[in-house]
Amino acid sequence: MTKTNFKEGYLSVNGLDMYYETHGTGQPLVLLHGAFSAIGTSFGGLIPELANSRQVIAFELQAHGHTADIDRPLSLEGMADDTAAVIKQLGIEPADIFGYSMGAGVALYTAIRHPEVLRKLVLASVTYTMSGIHPGLMEGLGNMTPEMMHGSPWHEEYLRIAPHPEDFAKLFAKKTQMDRQTRDIPAESIKAIKSPTLLIIGDSDLVRPEHAVEMFRLLGGGVFGDTPAGLPNSQLAVLPGTSHVSLVSRTELIIPMINSFLDAPMPEAK
């Protein structure tokens, strides 16, 4: 991973000492990683190129990576509040946010609960309802045990950088509980998002492709763009030959998409 203009540190928010690192300079882009992951396993292949043209600020969320857990449940809403608080402490608002998997859920709640900290939104592998996930998949994941992840890149990363590497099973239990308590987001809340949004899924992702299209329509997409009204503010990308895990390694596809989307001028307020 590049160390160009690299800085790292911790910020105290909501009782949490949250780890973050920055790479590059320019318009701020916040990265939010997936579950059981941290900055390296989610974004290690993407940061060097993203940081060529912008300031990339990657966070490690509650109980993940270098950020120690605290005595509160794991929730997308809580992590969204943490994210907004860190963005404000760093003075980088409005920032662009790129979330992957669980991090995309956190980014989505940040857009809903704290729209003032956000410019543009990139959501990779996200759903707004549980029905957006392939049937039976969450039940299968709910039957997993932490030992099933031993030896995986995510577990090895946790053992290497977590302040309490013996706590992986606790993180696993908290994430399982969070999944059981995750509620659907009302369609009206998606429609109300004002930030231009790029939705990305793999064609063989955990997200059903039909669900991504539904969400794209709620964000103003799925229209005929060759009219005087022009293209919608939001975009949809389906990466070919791509699974949930492999999505963040498709650098040759993702980097041009994200750069093109983020570099385009902000639409004029209507």
Side-chain angles (χ1 to χ4, degrees), residues 4-217:
T4 308
N5 291 305
F6 174 76
K7 289 187 295 191
E8 62 182 339
Y10 291 84
L11 283 176
S12 182
V13 289
N14 303 328
L16 195 70
D17 286 327
M18 189 190 280
Y19 174 84
Y20 74 97
E21 54 186 55
T22 66
H23 304 255
T25 57
Q27 166 65 27
L29 172 62
V30 169
L31 303 185
L32 300 174
H33 58 76
F36 305 117
S37 179
I39 294 166
T41 49
S42 280
F43 298 116
L46 295 168
I47 286 175
E49 294 197 56
L50 289 172
N52 280 337
S53 56
R54 60 194 85 249
Q55 182 187 26
V56 174
I57 309 104
F59 297 168
E60 288 183 340
L61 299 162
Q62 177 187 346
H64 287 75
H66 297 82
T67 301
D69 197 8
I70 57 173
D71 185 17
R72 73 172 192 197
L74 210 56
S75 73
L76 297 175
E77 296 93 330
M79 290 186 280
D81 293 346
D82 297 339
T83 295
V86 173
I87 288 172
K88 288 175 180 176
Q89 275 203 43
L90 290 170
I92 56 172
E93 75 271 26
D96 298 324
I97 301 182
F98 171 20
Y100 164 58
S101 192
M102 180 189 79
V106 174
L108 186 56
Y109 270 104
T110 304
I112 292 167
R113 294 163 75 89
H114 305 280
E116 72 282 358
V117 304
L118 183 62
R119 195 183 78 109
K120 292 185 179 183
L121 192 57
V122 180
L123 301 173
S125 298
V126 77
T127 69
Y128 68 97
T129 65
M130 295 306 283
S131 65
I133 297 167
H134 288 290
L137 203 54
M138 290 310 292
E139 290 81 354
L141 292 174
N143 291 329
M144 282 182 65
T145 64
E147 290 74 25
M148 291 178 181
M149 293 191 69
H150 288 188
S152 69
W154 307 282
H155 183 245
E156 290 178 356
E157 180 183 46
Y158 186 89
L159 293 179
R160 191 173 69 251
I161 66 176
H164 303 287
E166 68 281 4
D167 282 353
F168 187 77
K170 289 182 183 175
L171 166 60
F172 196 93
K174 275 192 161 182
K175 168 62 169 57
T176 302
Q177 188 64 22
M178 181 180 88
D179 288 343
R180 290 187 183 128
Q181 296 178 341
T182 295
R183 301 185 303 275
D184 290 350
I185 297 173
E188 294 71 33
S189 297
I190 304 298
K191 280 184 179 176
I193 293 171
K194 296 286 189 286
S195 296
T197 303
L198 168 60
L199 296 175
I200 304 174
I201 64 163
D203 59 358
S204 299
D205 209 320
L206 130 164
V207 181
R208 294 187 302 110
E210 299 87 347
H211 182 79
V213 173
E214 287 169 26
M215 191 167 176
F216 182 45
R217 289 189 187 282

Side-chain angles (χ1 to χ4, degrees), residues 190-259:
I190 304 298
K191 280 184 179 176
I193 293 171
K194 296 286 189 286
S195 296
T197 303
L198 168 60
L199 296 175
I200 304 174
I201 64 163
D203 59 358
S204 299
D205 209 320
L206 130 164
V207 181
R208 294 187 302 110
E210 299 87 347
H211 182 79
V213 173
E214 287 169 26
M215 191 167 176
F216 182 45
R217 289 189 187 282
L218 292 175
L219 291 164
V223 298
F224 179 53
D226 289 317
T227 66
L231 291 168
N233 294 335
S234 295
Q235 300 176 14
L236 171 65
V238 181
L239 306 187
T242 301
S243 70
H244 184 66
V245 169
S246 68
L247 187 147
V248 284
S249 65
R250 300 303 305 272
T251 311
E252 77 288 359
L253 297 176
I254 288 181
I255 293 292
M257 286 178 181
I258 291 179
N259 282 339

